[in-house]
Amino acid sequence: MALSVVTTGEDRSEEIDGGIAKGPHDFPHGTRIQIEVESIDEAISKAKENGAIIVREKMEFEEFYLAYLVDPARIGFGLISEEVL
């Protein structure tokens, strides 16, 4: 999966970064927002308590964890965490 990185500035405290890529075949079509969280496990738990459904379980990458969910309004989103691996 090719990713085009998008950055908005040099100061991490004020910027909003992201990327543009084709998603996996099993993720809902459309815009995919990924939200960085401190603890992906806690965020997944809270999302499920509030009606979210997990589309892709937590995945481990070299420098981060990532999971995809769908909220009760059927809006897909990702959770990403740079927890120490």
Side-chain angles (χ1 to χ4, degrees):
M1 170 173 57
L3 173 69
S4 298
V5 177
V6 178
T7 59
T8 60
E10 300 289 326
D11 182 0
R12 268 192 74 93
S13 67
E14 296 180 9
E15 67 186 18
I16 297 174
D17 294 338
I20 300 170
K22 183 174 180 155
H25 70 281
D26 61 343
F27 191 80
H29 299 285
T31 301
R32 179 174 33 180
I33 297 169
Q34 295 182 169
I35 304 163
E36 186 172 0
V37 296
E38 287 188 29
S39 170
I40 196 164
D41 292 323
E42 287 180 27
I44 290 170
S45 178
K46 287 180 183 177
K48 285 173 55 178
E49 287 173 14
N50 287 288
I53 298 169
I54 297 176
V55 176
R56 299 277 306 254
E57 294 286 343
K58 179 175 81 171
M59 300 171 280
E60 183 176 331
F61 292 89
E62 239 178 82
E63 297 179 7
F64 60 92
Y65 292 106
L66 176 64
Y68 292 120
L69 299 89
V70 174
D71 74 8
R74 301 188 49 104
I75 297 171
F77 64 97
L79 295 174
I80 189 166
S81 177
E82 294 180 0
E83 296 171 295
V84 177
L85 302 181

